[in-house]
Amino acid sequence: MKKLFFILILIVFVFIFCVSCTEDSSDVNIDVDYTSNLSIDNISNNNIEIQYTLIPSEAYKANNIPNDTICAYIFSASILSDNLEDKSLYWDIFWCDPTITNDTNNYIIVERTSETTAKVICKKGFRVPLTLKITSNTNPDINASCNINYVLKEL
């Protein structure tokens, strides 16, 4: 009889433990939601300072950015040398791996908005980093660059 009573108590405790550890499945989100973004690193400055700001998706329309854009940034570059009259810049983007022949414009568009600013628009993901290089139009020794990587972030 003691054995039966002990087994019955054990079954009750196991049942209570199982019920207390079970979550309500209606509160569990089983869909994994991903958002894409760019990471910017390996910034090198040679008399040019680079700054960048993420453009929120709510501001895409005001900035003439397509709605299907993954993400977009405004980059600004300032020539630090005071003795240079022409401070206009050339903006270029290319694969870090020179053996890749895919057109970078299929993934990233760099759209100059002024002599010192450009929009960087990510159209779709990519696996190999890109290099954004900004060079003085009058002195190629004055330049800056950074790597742009596509990263998939889990929310």
Side-chain angles (χ1 to χ4, degrees):
M1 188 67 158
K2 282 184 177 185
K3 210 175 193 182
L4 183 62
F5 181 73
F6 177 74
I7 292 173
L8 185 60
I9 299 247
L10 186 60
I11 291 172
V12 168
F13 278 113
V14 168
F15 176 77
I16 291 172
F17 177 77
C18 289
V19 169
S20 67
C21 291
T22 305
E23 293 181 14
D24 179 5
S25 62
S26 64
D27 292 338
V28 177
N29 183 3
I30 58 172
D31 294 329
V32 179
D33 190 11
Y34 291 96
T35 184
S36 301
N37 214 341
L38 299 178
S39 71
I40 295 130
D41 58 19
N42 293 337
I43 297 173
S44 70
N45 297 325
N46 189 12
N47 284 324
I48 292 182
E49 180 181 28
I50 300 175
Q51 295 181 343
Y52 54 91
T53 305
L54 180 66
I55 300 172
S57 58
E58 309 84 58
Y60 284 2
K61 185 174 182 180
N63 286 285
N64 296 321
I65 297 171
N67 286 336
D68 61 347
T69 296
I70 292 175
C71 61
Y73 286 82
I74 288 282
F75 275 73
S76 62
S78 303
I79 294 179
L80 302 175
S81 176
D82 289 334
N83 59 356
L84 194 62
E85 285 184 34
D86 181 0
K87 298 210 178 204
S88 62
L89 301 168
Y90 175 74
W91 299 75
D92 191 19
I93 190 139
F94 50 89
W95 296 108
C96 289
D97 179 350
T99 63
I100 296 177
T101 59
N102 291 354
D103 185 359
T104 58
N105 285 326
N106 292 330
Y107 305 91
I108 294 275
I109 295 175
V110 177
E111 189 178 296
R112 215 171 85 172
T113 55
S114 76
E115 292 296 325
T116 59
T117 61
K119 290 185 279 190
V120 174
I121 300 167
C122 181
K123 294 170 54 177
K124 67 179 181 179
F126 50 94
R127 294 183 185 196
V128 176
L130 291 156
T131 297
L132 175 65
K133 187 169 185 180
I134 307 159
T135 308
S136 164
N137 280 328
T138 56
N139 184 348
D141 292 334
I142 297 175
N143 59 65
S145 66
C146 63
N147 286 351
I148 299 176
N149 299 285
Y150 177 82
V151 291
L152 193 62
K153 293 185 179 181
E154 184 176 341
L155 291 178

